[in-house]
Amino acid sequence: MKLQLWRNATLLLNNNDVNILIDPMLGDKGSLGKFPMTDSELLNPLVDLPFSHEELVQKLEKVDAVVITHLHPDHWDSKAIELIDKNMPILCPSVISEQIAEQGFRNVIPISDHLHWNAMDIFITKGQHGTGEIGEKMGVVNGFVFKTANQSVYIAGDSIWYDDIAEEIDRYQPEHIIVAGGAATFSVGDPIIMTSEDIIKVCRYAPEALVWVSHLEAVSHCKEDRKYIEEKIVKEGLVDQCFILKDGEEIPLEFKS
């Protein structure tokens, strides 16, 4: 498999020339405006995609399916709804399938637990998008595991570290774990996605897996940038296990022999 970070949580996963686009936020810099309850005047997203509009259109023509973890606008924005072909297979948790169909998509494939698709087993995983009242307001979120005959890749989605993440790691034994870092925090409450401490907990819990960090420097409520997280990784001696993805970067997801 290969993985490319486009921006924020938008990832392109390639398996044997099958391209799966995950959580597309495709709008221009600033197109989402200010985020509420952030005490920030910055317009989101904070950066453009790492390629031109023409290149984006060409890339979308090569996409075979779209996976959506949840419907927050930094994972599924109006530009994605506009640009993605309405006949595209949209793989998503059952809880959001009707909303996506109402947006005009004609090939929505709801997943309650597991789907076998294109020589892959795709599993829905649990997530917790914060704690307390803020966590409740953020709603249900999910992650996905993509499993082939010899490889398992776990995209944790917008979640903090908590017991169910450990259970998903135990269940699927992924070689690669992609987490949402950045410690996104509103003006009240605790972080709603992983802090650097959470990322370190993932690494310690799954020492045989490689951990890849996304969701950085693209939305205004993220408090930890790449430099800050990298310093923590170095301090903890995890430079051979944990890696920070750059926008546009493509990496091979090697499997164990």
Side-chain angles (χ1 to χ4, degrees):
M1 291 188 191
K2 292 185 294 185
L3 183 77
Q4 184 181 39
L5 173 65
W6 286 13
R7 174 184 60 186
N8 198 51
T10 305
L11 300 160
L12 186 70
L13 182 67
N14 176 281
N15 178 56
N16 292 331
D17 295 324
V18 174
N19 288 308
I20 302 171
L21 182 62
I22 301 161
D23 282 351
M25 176 178 66
L26 304 181
D28 294 337
K29 177 181 177 181
S31 59
L32 294 178
K34 302 174 187 176
F35 280 176
M37 295 179 61
T38 60
D39 295 332
S40 173
E41 296 299 309
L42 296 175
L43 303 181
N44 295 279
L46 304 179
V47 294
D48 277 316
L49 287 165
F51 34 74
S52 69
H53 177 76
E54 292 74 18
E55 290 172 307
L56 171 61
V57 171
Q58 292 173 1
K59 286 177 176 289
L60 291 177
E61 290 174 351
K62 298 177 182 178
V63 170
D64 298 292
V66 171
V67 165
I68 303 171
T69 62
H70 64 297
L71 295 177
H72 291 167
D74 62 324
H75 293 251
W76 180 241
D77 66 354
S78 59
K79 183 58 72 171
I81 295 169
E82 173 192 335
L83 290 179
I84 293 171
D85 190 305
K86 294 302 182 288
N87 292 311
M88 177 75 69
I90 307 290
L91 284 53
C92 65
S94 297
V95 68
I96 61 174
S97 61
E98 287 188 13
Q99 290 170 270
I100 296 170
E102 288 170 358
Q103 293 167 339
F105 291 90
R106 294 181 283 271
N107 192 8
V108 180
I109 304 172
I111 308 174
S112 297
D113 177 56
H114 164 252
L115 173 72
H116 186 75
W117 183 85
N118 241 318
M120 282 185 292
D121 287 300
I122 302 174
F123 300 89
I124 290 280
T125 61
K126 296 178 182 178
Q128 183 175 319
H129 207 351
T131 58
E133 184 178 352
I134 289 293
E136 291 179 7
K137 288 183 176 180
M138 297 303 288
V140 176
V141 296
N142 295 98
F144 284 85
V145 168
F146 300 88
K147 191 174 180 64
T148 65
N150 53 17
Q151 193 170 20
S152 181
V153 175
Y154 173 29
I155 296 177
D158 272 14
S159 180
I160 59 174
W161 169 263
Y162 75 122
D163 289 347
D164 282 352
I165 299 295
E167 290 180 9
E168 303 291 12
I169 293 171
D170 290 341
R171 181 177 296 114
Y172 297 108
Q173 295 293 307
E175 281 105 353
H176 298 274
I177 304 171
I178 297 92
V179 300
T185 310
F186 290 106
S187 52
V188 296
D190 294 324
I192 59 172
I193 55 177
M194 290 197 188
T195 63
S196 52
E197 287 78 10
D198 284 343
I199 295 167
I200 290 164
K201 289 176 182 177
V202 174
C203 294
R204 300 297 188 205
Y205 194 83
E208 299 300 317
L210 296 182
V211 177
W212 306 87
V213 187
S214 66
H215 212 297
L216 299 177
E217 301 178 6
V219 288
S220 60
H221 56 325
C222 282
K223 306 301 182 184
E224 297 180 358
D225 61 13
R226 288 180 169 94
K227 183 175 184 295
Y228 181 89
I229 298 171
E230 182 178 13
E231 289 172 352
K232 294 288 187 179
I233 292 169
V234 171
K235 182 179 179 181
E236 294 293 328
L238 296 170
V239 293
D240 293 326
Q241 183 190 5
C242 188
F243 306 92
I244 298 171
L245 292 167
K246 299 175 183 177
D247 292 356
E249 182 179 10
E250 184 177 64
I251 50 101
L253 299 179
E254 305 292 349
F255 58 86
K256 296 176 184 175
S257 57

